[in-house]
Each structure stands twice: as C-alpha cells, then as structure tokens.
Amino acid sequence: MPKASVTRLIDNRKDKLIEFVLDIEKYPEFIPFCDNSKVYERSDNGDTINIIADLTIGKGPFKDTFKSDVKFDKKNDHIHVVNLGGPLNHLENNWKFIEIGNDTEGYKTEVLFDIDFEIENKFLNILMTKSFQFGLEKIADAFQKRAESIK
C-alpha cells in the first residue's frame, strides 16, 4: 500500500489552518487533480467535528470519487480521515497541528500529515506507490501556499 508523510512549518495560526483543512468544499480551487468536492454531513459534537464528504480526484478520463469520514478531535488538534467507499480498499490519513510562536514574534504552525491507502486496481496501486511521495509534496506545496495567503 502507498504510504507517505510530510511535515511543513506554515506561517499561520493553528486555528486558521485547522479551519482551512476542514473547508473541504474549497479543495478544487487549489489542490492539484482535485476536480470536485461535496460535503454531505457536518456536525459539531462539542469535542469533535464530524464530516462526511466526497472528493473527485484525477485528470481527464482517469477520475474517481471516494467518500470519506473526517473527524476533528478538538482537544488534540488532530484530524483523522478514513474512506467509506469508492475506488479505495483502504484510506487513512492524519493531520496534526502544533503551534509555535507568540503575539510578539508571530505564529507558525508545524503541520504533520501522513497517508496510507490502497486502490482496488492493483496496477494503479503499483503506479501510485512509485510516484506518491512526489505527488504528496505537490499537494503539500499547494496547501502551504494557499494557507499562508489566508491570514
């Protein structure tokens, strides 16, 4: 299964970045190969925010949509995502946010992201394994660029 992780230090406050990551409807505006997104449910249960959403990923005729269950643990500043359906046998990703800085010097947030997934199509799974870290870096670049612009 393709697995990868990336860590970025982003020039923004933690709460802004969490809000940004949970704004799934805007992903097609800036994430490479994200063609569409749709949120079906969003609920705030005090300690957690739960979201059920679709993402359509791909290019040209090679697009697929998968449904995800997104849970934000407010106490631990952690977002956990698992797939509920689509072309994936397995998807799990995690976001962790650690704020560094203060009002005087400014704020930065260390964002840790890891992903582990398996595509049903074994051939595509092999291809993704070979190029996935590169693709994840491109996506992380897009997230960072957009996140640093939303002060």
Side-chain angles (χ1 to χ4, degrees):
M1 284 188 276
K3 293 180 185 182
S5 62
V6 65
T7 301
R8 294 290 172 97
L9 189 60
I10 298 179
D11 186 19
N12 210 325
R13 294 192 67 129
K14 172 179 64 177
D15 59 337
K16 290 282 187 193
L17 294 178
I18 291 167
E19 182 181 306
F20 169 66
V21 170
L22 294 176
D23 193 3
I24 296 165
E25 295 95 336
K26 292 192 178 159
Y27 284 12
E29 294 176 13
F30 66 95
I31 296 179
F33 306 111
C34 184
D35 188 58
N36 196 17
S37 63
K38 179 176 179 164
V39 171
Y40 293 97
E41 296 175 31
R42 184 182 183 107
S43 61
D44 189 330
N45 302 322
D47 292 339
T48 61
I49 292 175
N50 299 300
I51 301 170
I52 304 295
D54 275 353
L55 283 182
T56 302
I57 305 291
K59 193 163 178 102
F62 302 105
K63 287 185 208 170
D64 244 318
T65 300
F66 64 94
K67 186 172 296 241
S68 296
D69 181 8
V70 180
K71 293 192 184 324
F72 170 51
D73 176 349
K74 294 178 185 179
K75 289 182 179 179
N76 296 304
D77 299 320
H78 177 258
I79 298 172
H80 181 75
V81 181
V82 295
N83 73 300
L84 297 175
L88 303 169
N89 285 336
H90 169 78
L91 167 73
E92 183 172 2
N93 69 50
N94 294 284
W95 297 81
K96 180 72 180 159
F97 304 84
I98 303 165
E99 192 168 76
I100 302 164
N102 55 49
D103 283 333
T104 307
E105 298 172 12
Y107 288 93
K108 293 186 181 294
T109 302
E110 184 177 41
V111 179
L112 299 89
F113 177 78
D114 65 71
I115 185 166
D116 176 11
F117 71 96
E118 181 179 24
I119 301 171
E120 287 178 354
N121 182 309
K122 299 299 180 197
F123 177 72
L124 286 177
N125 213 49
I126 291 167
L127 286 177
M128 288 298 290
T129 301
K130 303 288 184 202
S131 62
F132 191 67
Q133 185 68 43
F134 174 78
L136 182 59
E137 293 290 339
K138 297 289 267 182
I139 291 169
D141 289 346
F143 262 102
Q144 183 166 3
K145 182 178 178 184
R146 180 72 166 234
E148 289 180 342
S149 74
I150 59 165
K151 307 280 178 187

